[in-house]
Amino acid sequence: MAGVSLYHWEPNANSGKPMLALMEKGVAFTSHYLDLLNFDQHKPEYLALNPQGTIPAMTHGKLVLTESTAIMEYVDEVFPGPRLMPDEPRDRWRIRWWMKFMDQWLAPSFSMIGWNVFVGPAVRSKDPERLKAAIERIPLPERRVAWRKAIYGLFSDDEMKESQRRVAVGIRMLEDALSKREWLASDQYSLADVNGFNLAYALPLSQPKLSNDDLTPNILRWLRAIYARPATKTCWAMGKTAMVKRVAILERPHIGKEPAA
Ligand SMILES: N[C@@H](CCC(=O)N[C@@H](CS)C(=O)NCC(=O)O)C(=O)O
């Protein structure tokens, strides 16, 4: 069978989705770690593969695939191993509903908060001229804007407030869905759970007043159940940054409103 290569950053957000889906399916792949904080995704060798300069991208033989959720669906359909999409059309619809909601509406807000508190501060101290040149090399104008705002601390109060509002709405919706069934969108572990974990694995640390064992017990049960899966453990062990190591909070048996550092 043709080989699989994955170009990814950390097991987090979009990169973590195909990483975890491949590991759940038991598909061997060659990992190409691109350091997002070093702007590896805008280097000519990667742009030759994905001219948009965003990660992840996957190759399967000669085929180049982009868009993390679409890659996960491809992985689930093409490779043997446990199915991550059930057969029942209603379940498939619910899974796709959640993935669209997360990708389009919720994840950009999580991302803005993450870029404000982690990505921006992590690169800000680099040489200013190098940073300016790095921003100019970014192919997508909207990503150029995001980088500029993160590096120079330019996210407005209104933008941050709206992101925080969306995260609060998303937490309520996740808790409600997970109070009705074991997994997010069907009675079996699915791509919606893979997608959701990548978004929410550090919630009790990043949003302790909104998500903890007392307020959102079902979200915490769900996060711990996903973290206990061997594929998740292997996947998150590939993380190199402090951002991803936050997953260890799920090892605590009880997380209150103010988790100790
Ligand atoms: N819709 C795309 C989004 C890809 C994306 O924007 N990835 C982020 C990382 S999570 C990225 O590459 N950021 C780097 C940059 O903007 O330079 C997907 O789901 O694959």
Side-chain angles (χ1 to χ4, degrees), residues 9 12-15 17 36 41-42 53-56 66-69 115 138 143 147:
W9 184 41
N12 176 69
N14 296 317
S15 284
K17 286 148 66 180
L36 179 136
Q41 68 280 16
H42 309 135
T54 56
I55 31 189
T66 56
E67 281 303 327
S68 54
T69 294
W115 279 57
I138 300 172
R143 299 310 309 156
W147 269 109

Side-chain angles (χ1 to χ4, degrees), residues 66-121:
T66 56
E67 281 303 327
S68 54
T69 294
I71 296 174
M72 289 201 298
E73 290 214 32
Y74 175 90
V75 165
D76 190 46
E77 282 172 23
V78 165
F79 299 103
R83 297 284 310 281
L84 298 171
M85 272 299 233
D87 290 329
E88 173 61 47
R90 238 185 322 182
D91 289 336
R92 297 166 77 84
W93 161 77
R94 209 182 297 105
I95 289 164
R96 291 198 171 108
W97 187 96
W98 268 102
M99 294 204 292
K100 185 161 175 83
F101 169 71
M102 291 189 284
D103 291 350
Q104 205 169 298
W105 195 84
L106 192 53
S109 289
F110 270 86
S111 170
M112 189 183 290
I113 295 171
W115 279 57
N116 196 38
V117 301
F118 180 78
V119 175

Side-chain angles (χ1 to χ4, degrees), residues 23-59:
M23 288 180 185
E24 280 288 348
K25 301 286 283 188
V27 181
F29 65 94
T30 305
S31 155
H32 298 269
Y33 183 88
L34 300 183
D35 186 354
L36 179 136
L37 304 176
N38 192 39
F39 305 101
D40 287 355
Q41 68 280 16
H42 309 135
K43 293 187 174 155
E45 50 275 34
Y46 181 66
L47 293 181
L49 191 74
N50 179 9
Q52 301 218 313
T54 56
I55 31 189
M58 188 178 99
T59 59

Side-chain angles (χ1 to χ4, degrees), residues 213-228:
D213 274 303
D214 303 322
L215 280 177
T216 59
N218 291 293
I219 291 180
L220 273 289
R221 164 190 59 73
W222 172 70
L223 291 176
R224 287 193 184 99
I226 300 176
Y227 186 51

